[in-house]
Amino acid sequence: MNLFKLLPYDKSIWLYPNGFCLVDGTGSLRRKSFSYADGDILSVHAIDFFQLSSAENTDVAVVLANNAPVIVPDELYLPENAEKFIDLQSDIADLSQTFNQDVDAYKFLSFISKNENNALERIPAKLIFENYWSLLIRGLRSENQDASITAVFVYDTFLDFYIEDKKTILFVNRINYMKPEDALYHIINIRQQYAVDSSEMRIYPQNPFPALKSLVKKYVTPYSWND
C-alpha cells in the first residue's frame, strides 16, 4: 500500500520524527526525503521542490507523522484539554499547534513543534493538515476486507503498528528500533500479545529492508511482506 497515493492532493509534506519527505503526485510520483526538519530547511526545500512562488495559492497537504498517536475516547475529549492529553505522552514544551481527527469513537490527536510551524508558515501555499494515523487506518481498511487486520509499517528507525478486530481498534503505536533483529523482536512480541483470530501479519516497508525481510520470512508465520 502506497500511503502517498491515498491523499487527494498532488503536493504533500510528510513530517517524520527524524526529518520530512516532499511528494509531488503530478504525473509520475516524485519524492525526496530530508533529515531533521528545522528552521528554514523545510521551507527552503519545499519552495524549491514544488517550485512555489509568493503569488501562488497552491494546495499542499501536511501529513503529521512526526509523533506517536494520542488517542482519546470521544466521551472524554474536550478541545480545551487537547494539550493536557498530549502532555501525558509527549513533551509539549515546544508545542505550537494541536490537531484532532475523528476515527470511529475516538479523537486522534497530533501536533507540530514551534520550529515546524515557523518553517511551514514561510511556505507560500495553502496548507491542509492531515493526520497520518487516520490516513493509515483508512488505507488499511480499504485494502483489507478481512474481519481482522494486523499491520506494521517499517521505517528506518521506527515501526508503526495497527491492529483491529471486527472494526474494533486494539492497538496503535510507534516503536523505535536500532537493528533488524530489534525490529523482528518487536514484530513478534506485538503479534503474540495482540493475537487476533484468522489474522495475518501484513508488513509494509517504506524503504527496502532485505535483512529484515529475510528474518521475517524465517520467523514470522503467516506473514505478508508488501514491497
Side-chain angles (χ1 to χ4, degrees):
M1 180 173 59
N2 190 330
L3 289 175
F4 299 124
K5 293 186 177 180
L6 295 178
L7 285 172
Y9 305 98
D10 291 329
K11 296 175 173 57
S12 59
I13 300 169
W14 295 66
L15 300 180
Y16 296 111
N18 54 353
F20 59 95
C21 182
L22 305 176
V23 180
D24 192 340
T26 54
S28 59
L29 189 70
R30 292 191 306 129
R31 67 172 179 167
K32 191 171 183 179
S33 297
F34 301 86
S35 297
Y36 306 113
D38 185 35
D40 283 340
I41 295 175
L42 172 55
S43 57
V44 169
H45 286 302
I47 291 170
D48 178 64
F49 184 83
F50 297 126
Q51 297 184 336
L52 299 172
S53 71
S54 58
E56 284 189 293
N57 187 25
T58 304
D59 289 345
V60 177
V62 179
V63 182
L64 304 172
N66 47 352
N67 293 281
V70 180
I71 304 172
V72 183
D74 282 341
E75 61 267 23
L76 298 179
Y77 179 75
L78 293 173
E80 60 267 27
N81 291 333
E83 290 189 13
K84 293 181 180 179
F85 287 117
I86 292 173
D87 193 33
L88 295 174
Q89 187 167 300
S90 303
D91 180 8
I92 66 168
D94 194 38
L95 183 148
S96 177
Q97 291 189 61
T98 63
F99 306 87
N100 73 78
Q101 180 73 43
D102 292 315
V103 180
D104 298 342
Y106 301 94
K107 291 288 190 298
F108 276 52
L109 307 184
S110 52
F111 64 94
I112 56 175
S113 69
K114 293 176 183 176
N115 282 335
E116 290 167 335
N117 185 66
N118 291 339
L120 291 170
E121 286 184 340
R122 298 187 183 99
I123 299 174
K126 179 184 177 183
L127 303 181
I128 300 98
F129 291 91
E130 293 277 347
N131 186 293
Y132 162 82
W133 300 92
S134 60
L135 186 70
L136 180 151
I137 293 170
R138 290 200 304 270
L140 286 172
R141 287 180 175 177
S142 65
E143 183 175 285
N144 303 289
Q145 302 303 316
D146 298 339
S148 302
I149 298 173
T150 304
V152 55
F153 288 74
V154 181
Y155 294 86
D156 291 333
T157 59
F158 59 89
L159 307 169
D160 286 340
F161 287 92
Y162 179 74
I163 301 175
E164 74 170 38
D165 184 26
K166 298 176 183 177
K167 301 298 184 182
T168 299
I169 298 174
L170 301 180
F171 184 69
V172 188
N173 205 359
R174 171 172 290 168
I175 298 178
N176 297 322
Y177 74 93
M178 295 183 64
K179 301 181 297 184
E181 291 79 8
D182 298 332
L184 176 68
Y185 167 80
H186 292 303
I187 290 170
I188 293 175
N189 185 46
I190 294 299
R191 187 172 181 268
Q192 290 177 343
Q193 286 188 52
Y194 296 86
V196 180
D197 291 342
S198 303
S199 70
E200 182 181 76
M201 175 68 75
R202 296 174 174 86
I203 300 177
Y204 300 89
Q206 301 307 291
N207 288 300
F209 296 97
L212 179 58
K213 182 177 182 179
S214 62
L215 288 171
V216 167
K217 185 176 181 180
K218 184 176 181 180
Y219 293 105
V220 179
T221 303
Y223 86 103
S224 176
W225 185 278
N226 297 267
D227 286 317

